[in-house]
Every structure is written in structure tokens, then in C-alpha cells.
């Protein structure tokens, strides 16, 4: 029954693809090109089966068997020799689709059926921005492009940096040699900042402006704390039933360098240190129980994570695999912090950082 239902869903999705594409009514050829870069979990991911004639399945985001597919194909282990996190399932390759000049992967994260069932905000990412820009005269493949990436990986992974360099070159050529405006959201800003630090020769050749939305150059300590200790969910209420469980996401992200690179920079010269605070029941010298507020600096917080995850494990293929706080990834992230601290915006490149105060970072970009 489940197989039949999935076949029906795929047929409906294919039908919708033919219906929803409309010709663009207005194009402004004078516009400078824009490249959109999403944040964590903001790219569609496909699993390509190595043994089944390259069979492709969307594993992020999907509605049917979502939790099962994530655990089966996206759970991974970190390889300190390469800095890459590698899927436990060795029969698949995880790739980002390049359709629509990279925009498909970052537009609607379930581009066909799910948003019709459970509501647009859960899976719409850059969609509203793309729609508005097309109205302004931007054109896909000429002045509007996207860069999706495997958000499990380090933001400075050499393969990702090489892909981004090639993307900038292709956008530059496709637009007729015009310099590029890069707009990135959240963790995408860390990726672009890593690139600007590591590829100073490329950045001035291709960039005209760099715009960050909800980006923190010194990490997102509250986000990481919640992820390491409680797991992560992108939706609330009844809609969670259609998505990945918080526990499954938690087990995956423990082995993702990108999450460690979002930690509060341990050696940053903070004006206001972001303390981890929580209440703990303790006994005083007289044996009397008291509820006390404890505070930990970014460096001290690492010890909290180690203790909380010391017995964490995941069952995969009938085997229990230990999954503690990964100190090898923390060492890699430490080098990333240093790379980020050396990043500079060239004097001729305009820089913008758009953010809100006292507001949670939205998953949707408006």
C-alpha cells in the first residue's frame, strides 16, 4: 500500500511540474546578476543509488518515509583525514540538484506536493524572493542563480569551495561579464566568508556586493546548544508529523562539521560574552537542596556538550555506534574560526548585513 501511495504521489508531482511553469513576461537586461546562497538545511538533497542505474531519490525534504530515508541515507560519520562527513550508507552518493541554474534546490524544498498539503511556510525557502525578483525583471540563467550545497559538510570543505568558485565564474560568463551580487542567508554567510578568506584572488574578480541576511559572524550559540542537547525541528505543531523527528536530526547533526562551525567562537574578543545558562538542583554544605543558576562561557560549554553526549549512540544496520561530542570535528572547526577571522571584504565590494534583534532566525527568507 505504501509503495502504491508513493507512486501516486510521484505521478501527481510530475503532473504539477508541467502545470506550474509560466513564461516570464518582463526581462530587464541591464540588471547585474544575483547569486542566492541558503543557510543550514536550505538545499534539496538527492541520494543517487550507485547500484541501481543511478536511481535518484529526494531525501531532503520529502513527505513519505521522510524519517526512514534520512536515517538510511543521510546519517553519516566524520572522516578527520578529509574533513568530510560520509554517509553510513555506502551505496548512495548525496548530491545537490543543479536544475534551473541552481535555483530549483533552494526555491521550495519540497517543490511539488508537500507544500500543497501542509502549508507553504514549512518548505518555502527563497521562493518569495525569487518570485519578486522575476517580477522586477531578473531572468533565471542570465541574472538570477542559486548555489545549493550539502549542509552536513564543513563550510570550508575544499570541494564546496571549488564548486562555489566555478559557480561564480559560470554566473559571470552567463551574464556577459557582469560582476555579481551575492545574497546569503544564515549559515550561507559563513560559507561565503570562508570563500572570501581562502580565495582572495577570485572574490575581487567577480563580486560587486555581498549581502548577508540573519548572519552572525561569531556563531549561533543558542541554536547549537538547542541542537546538541535537544535535537532540531524546523516546524511546530501537527506539521511535525510530516517531517524528520527531532531525534533523527539530532543524531545526524552530531557528526556535521557545519554545526560545530556555528558554535560561539571560543577565542573571539567578545564585547558581551554569550553565556550558556541553566538552572540546576544542588545541595549546599548543610545538605539543603537549592535551585541555582549556572553560567558557562563558550569554551566551558564544550565540557557541557561532552558530558551530555558521552553515552549517546545510534543503532545502524543492527549495530550500536557511539556518537559522542566529536572532538575531531571541534578541532577542524577551530581552524575554520581562524579562517573566518582572516576574511576581508575588498574595498570595491559593497557589504550589507541585514538582521533583526530579539527575534528568532526565520527558516523562510522574506
Amino acid at each position: 500500500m505504501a509503495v502504491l501511495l508513493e507512486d501516486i504521489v510521484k505521478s501527481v508531482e510530475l503532473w504539477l511540474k508541467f502545470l506550474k511553469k509560466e513564461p516570464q513576461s518582463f526581462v530587464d537586461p541591464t540588471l547585474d546578476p544575483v547569486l542566492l546562497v541558503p543557510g543550514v538545511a536550505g538545499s534539496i538533497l538527492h541520494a543517487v543509488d550507485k547500484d541501481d542505474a543511478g536511481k535518484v531519490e529526494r531525501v531532503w525534504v520529502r513527505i513519505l518515509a521522510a524519517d526512514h530515508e534520512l536515517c538510511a541515507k543521510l546519517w553519516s560519520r566524520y572522516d578527520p583525514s578529509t574533513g568530510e562527513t560520509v554517509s553510513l550508507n555506502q551505496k548512495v552518493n548525496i548530491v545537490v540538484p543543479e536544475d534551473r541554474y541552481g535555483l530549483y534546490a533552494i526555491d521550495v524544498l519540497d517543490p511539488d506536493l508537500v507544500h500543497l498539503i501542509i502549508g507553504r511556510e514549512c518548505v518555502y525557502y527563497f521562493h518569495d524572493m525569487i518570485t519578486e525578483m522575476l517580477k522586477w525583471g531578473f531572468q533565471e540563467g542570465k541574472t538570477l542563480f542559486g548555489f545549493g550545497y550539502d549542509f552536513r559538510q564543513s563550510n570550508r570543505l575544499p570541494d564546496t569551495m571549488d564548486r562555489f568558485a566555478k559557480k561564480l565564474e559560470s554566473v559571470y560568463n552567463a551574464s556577459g561579464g557582469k560582476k555579481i551580487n551575492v545574497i546569503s542567508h544564515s549559515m550561507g554567510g559563513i560559507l561565503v566568508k570562508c570563500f572570501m578568506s581562502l580565495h582572495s584572488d577570485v572574490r575581487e574578480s567577480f563580486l560587486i556586493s555581498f549581502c548577508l541576511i540573519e548572519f552572525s559572524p561569531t556563531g549561533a550559540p543558542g541554536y547549537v546548544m538547542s541542537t546538541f542537547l535537544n535535537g532540531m525541528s524546523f516546524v511546530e505543531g501537527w506539521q511535525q508529523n510530516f517531517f524528520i523527528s527531532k531525534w533523527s536530526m539530532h543524531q545526524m547533526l552530531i557528526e556535521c562539521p557545519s554545526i560545530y562551525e556555528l558554535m560561539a567562537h571560543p577565542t573571539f574578543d567578545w564585547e558581551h560574552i554569550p553565556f550558556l545558562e541553566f538552572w540546576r538542583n544542588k545541595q549546599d554544605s548543610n545538605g539543603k537542596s537549592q535551585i541555582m543558576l549556572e553560567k558557562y562561557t563558550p569554551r566551558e560549554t564544550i565540557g557541557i556538550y561532552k558530558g551530555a553526549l558521552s553515552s549517546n549512540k545510534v543503532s545502524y544496520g543492527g549495530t550500536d555506534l557511539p556518537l559522542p561530542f566529536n572532538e575531531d570535528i571541534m578541532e577542524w572547526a577551530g581552524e575554520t574560526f581562524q579562517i573566518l577571522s582572516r576574511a576581508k571584504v575588498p574595498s570595491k565590494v559593497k557589504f550589507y548585513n541585514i538582521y533583526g534583534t530579539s527575534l528568532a532566525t526565520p527558516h523562510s527568507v522574506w
Side-chain angles (χ1 to χ4, degrees):
M1 181 63 184
V3 175
L4 177 61
L5 181 58
E6 185 164 359
D7 288 340
I8 293 173
V9 169
K10 288 181 178 179
S11 297
V12 174
E13 289 179 349
L14 184 62
W15 176 66
L16 288 171
K17 284 182 180 180
F18 289 108
L19 289 182
K20 65 185 179 183
K21 189 66 177 177
E22 298 178 0
Q24 187 171 347
S25 58
F26 168 63
V27 173
D28 184 349
T30 67
L31 294 171
D32 291 322
V34 170
L35 176 62
L36 303 175
V37 184
V40 62
S43 304
I44 289 176
L45 298 181
H46 285 169
V48 181
D49 195 317
K50 299 177 183 177
D51 300 329
D52 191 6
K55 178 183 177 183
V56 177
E57 290 283 346
R58 186 169 69 241
V59 289
W60 181 267
V61 174
R62 56 180 291 147
I63 181 171
L64 295 176
D67 206 65
H68 174 272
E69 290 300 292
L70 178 130
C71 298
K73 295 172 182 174
L74 287 181
W75 271 358
S76 53
R77 297 303 294 269
Y78 176 72
D79 182 353
S81 66
T82 63
E84 183 179 7
T85 191
V86 183
S87 293
L88 290 171
N89 187 340
Q90 298 181 3
K91 295 182 179 180
V92 299
N93 285 325
I94 303 301
V95 300
V96 180
E98 294 290 344
D99 311 56
R100 290 175 49 206
Y101 310 97
L103 291 168
Y104 170 83
I106 65 172
D107 187 339
V108 181
L109 298 186
D110 188 320
D112 302 309
L113 188 60
V114 172
H115 68 283
L116 298 179
I117 298 175
I118 63 174
R120 52 185 282 178
E121 291 187 6
C122 298
V123 291
Y124 276 35
Y125 201 92
F126 273 116
H127 179 77
D128 290 332
M129 184 180 289
I130 292 171
T131 299
E132 287 301 312
M133 293 179 76
L134 292 177
K135 292 178 181 177
W136 300 339
F138 284 90
Q139 183 181 11
E140 294 184 9
K142 291 293 184 181
T143 51
L144 188 58
F145 305 82
F147 181 79
Y149 55 95
D150 185 346
F151 55 83
R152 301 175 304 162
Q153 306 293 347
S154 166
N155 291 286
R156 64 176 175 94
L157 191 71
D159 179 66
T160 305
M161 295 290 93
D162 290 342
R163 284 184 58 241
F164 193 73
K166 292 176 182 177
K167 187 71 177 185
L168 288 176
E169 185 175 5
S170 67
V171 171
Y172 181 81
N173 292 332
S175 64
K178 293 183 178 180
K179 289 196 174 184
I180 305 158
N181 301 281
V182 173
I183 300 177
S184 64
H185 173 229
S186 189
M187 194 177 76
I190 295 181
L191 187 153
V192 178
K193 195 176 178 185
C194 284
F195 180 83
M196 295 181 75
S197 180
L198 295 170
H199 292 267
S200 58
D201 55 327
V202 177
R203 66 189 186 190
E204 267 186 283
S205 302
F206 295 129
L207 295 182
I208 189 173
S209 76
F210 180 29
C211 178
L212 303 168
I213 302 174
E214 292 287 349
F215 165 70
S216 173
T218 52
Y223 179 87
V224 173
M225 178 201 70
S226 179
T227 298
F228 280 159
L229 301 183
N230 305 312
M232 179 172 58
S233 177
F234 290 98
V235 295
E236 301 296 335
W238 66 273
Q239 294 168 337
Q240 293 186 55
N241 297 320
F242 293 95
F243 280 81
I244 315 301
S245 73
K246 291 183 71 173
W247 180 82
S248 296
M249 283 296 292
H250 176 266
Q251 298 298 75
M252 181 181 77
L253 295 175
I254 293 299
E255 288 289 299
C256 293
S258 60
I259 300 301
Y260 289 70
E261 291 168 348
L262 283 174
M263 293 177 65
H265 197 316
T267 59
F268 184 74
D269 185 17
W270 296 94
E271 181 178 356
H272 302 289
I273 298 176
F275 288 103
L276 169 63
E277 299 181 334
F278 57 87
W279 296 93
R280 179 174 288 181
N281 192 351
K282 284 191 171 185
Q283 289 186 338
D284 59 20
S285 57
N286 297 322
K288 187 176 180 180
S289 180
Q290 286 187 325
I291 304 296
M292 303 180 65
L293 179 64
E294 296 185 347
K295 300 173 66 173
Y296 296 89
T297 66
R299 187 179 293 277
E300 293 169 338
T301 298
I302 295 174
I304 300 296
Y305 296 149
K306 288 181 182 178
L309 298 171
S310 60
S311 59
N312 188 46
K313 61 184 178 181
V314 64
S315 180
Y316 186 86
T319 302
D320 285 343
L321 303 175
L323 212 64
F325 181 85
N326 196 312
E327 296 189 54
D328 287 330
I329 301 182
M330 190 67 243
E331 183 177 347
W332 173 279
E335 295 179 21
T336 303
F337 295 148
Q338 298 304 315
I339 290 170
L340 289 169
S341 68
R342 296 194 295 267
K344 296 183 182 300
V345 179
S347 58
K348 295 182 180 179
V349 176
K350 297 178 181 179
F351 174 78
Y352 308 89
N353 190 11
I354 303 172
Y355 62 95
T357 59
S358 302
L359 296 172
T361 301
H363 183 55
S364 298
V365 180
W366 294 80

